[in-house]
Amino acid sequence: MSKQVVIVGGGVIGLLTAFNLAAKVDRVVLCDQGEVGRESSWAGGGIVSPLYPWRYSAAVTALAHWSQDFYPQLGERLFASTGVDPEVHTTGLYWLDLDDEAEALAWAAREQRPLSAVDISAAYDAVPVLGAGFKRAIFMAGVANVRNPRLVKSLKAALLALPNVTLREHCQISGFRQQGGRITGVHTADGVLEADDVVLSAGAWSGDLLRTLGLELPVEPVKGQMILFKCAEDFLPSMVLAKGRYAIPRRDGHILIGSTLEHAGYDKTPTEDALASLKASAVELLPGLADATPVAHWAGLRPGSPEGIPYIGPVPGHDGLWLNCGHYRNGLVLAPASCQLFSDLLTGAEPIIDPAPYAPAGRLG
Ligand SMILES: Cc1cc2nc3c(=O)[nH]c(=O)nc-3n(C[C@H](O)[C@H](O)[C@H](O)COP(=O)(O)OP(=O)(O)OC[C@H]3O[C@@H](n4cnc5c(N)ncnc54)[C@H](O)[C@@H]3O)c2cc1C
């Protein structure tokens, strides 16, 4: 397709959008105000599932299921072509002492997901380092986590190898060029960058940019803090989750504990309060961490949206402008499906799933 597409924002969503579109259109230019893949997509935990999938709408579930099936092949393909392994690590996930266990099991039966109640003694057998006192467990086999900093690194490497893709880092977009009813480019510090189509995938910052057109996109930054431990490789065999806090094992024994949910604007400062609270959760889940010192503590800004349903598709009244943003707590799991659906819509291909629930039309103020 003879087009130049400009993508604004190089988190996992912008990077994967660029990767998909590069196979379909003449030229793709991806601009990021910093380095690509250093914001939320770097800061997240990388669980390849919503935290409580049964609490989400069918719209989120549809994207999550498509992506979960696709992740292993995406990981292999990126590793083979770039030498950077995104480490899709399938460990399964235990939820402990849930209040809505019955709803979870009913959802799993309906959606045919491999989630089942397990005897708590079986959970302790499988995860001997689990803290004492948990009474009930459900387990979903097959849930993976992806090492998201490596995922974005390997996506960047894959894009750098493509002749029709240009990555422009440290290139902040301040607004859109409008000609007639059409968006025909973006404003950078160096002038206008022309585009046949512009894709807004600027994560938590997407609403600010759309506001320059007088449109209200209800996407706002939601701060999340995490801490990281380094343990023996076999310390934690599965992901575990209780009271909204989780532990994620990487293949090399790093354990992530997350996360907080804070409305603090664009502030990304890690706080002492969150550190203390995350450490307490870590020790409750895994008492063996009591004497360990976290090796890192950071915060990221999720692109919060109503019900976590992303905006994927064209912006009505502004031909040439498209959204792929607002993935809130699930941008890593939802990325493969969101970006495939997006590419289908922009290129006029048969969409992988019904695009209606994600359409910006009717959802912008
Ligand atoms: C603590 C935490 C834990 C998480 N855990 C998980 C999890 O386990 N599983 C999961 O699926 N998701 C998780 N998430 C959510 C996930 O990280 C996000 O939904 C996802 O990364 C969003 O990707 P994105 O590309 O939309 O945004 P981002 O990664 O934030 O990328 C947006 C990019 O746009 C750029 N940008 C912004 N404004 C401009 C501009 N004006 N010009 C140019 N560039 C611009 C930014 O520099 C940035 O690189 C977590 C998030 C956090 C913070």
Side-chain angles (χ1 to χ4, degrees), residues 21-70:
L21 287 180
K24 305 278 178 194
V25 306
D26 268 0
R27 281 217 64 74
V28 176
V29 183
L30 188 156
C31 302
D32 199 288
Q33 62 186 5
E35 283 173 40
V36 299
R38 295 295 302 174
E39 291 290 350
S40 194
S41 301
W42 180 91
I47 304 177
V48 184
S49 169
L51 279 189
Y52 301 97
W54 55 90
R55 295 181 192 169
Y56 282 92
S57 63
V60 170
T61 301
L63 293 173
H65 288 181
W66 194 95
S67 291
Q68 284 168 327
D69 291 345
F70 188 73

Side-chain angles (χ1 to χ4, degrees), residues 267-354:
D267 174 42
K268 280 195 304 180
T269 320
T271 62
E272 288 301 319
D273 280 359
L275 178 61
S277 161
L278 289 165
K279 271 188 187 166
S281 297
V283 172
E284 191 176 347
L285 282 168
L286 307 167
L289 295 177
D291 297 324
T293 305
V295 295
H297 172 202
W298 65 84
L301 300 174
R302 308 174 182 93
S305 57
E307 292 180 65
I309 301 176
Y311 296 84
I312 304 171
V315 177
H318 293 81
D319 284 353
L321 180 60
W322 300 75
L323 303 185
N324 195 0
C325 59
H327 294 74
Y328 197 17
R329 304 196 77 174
N330 299 310
L332 290 156
V333 50
L334 303 185
S338 301
C339 299
Q340 184 59 51
L341 176 63
F342 183 85
S343 160
D344 293 343
L345 294 174
L346 190 135
T347 60
E350 181 67 26
I352 48 160
I353 53 173
D354 176 10

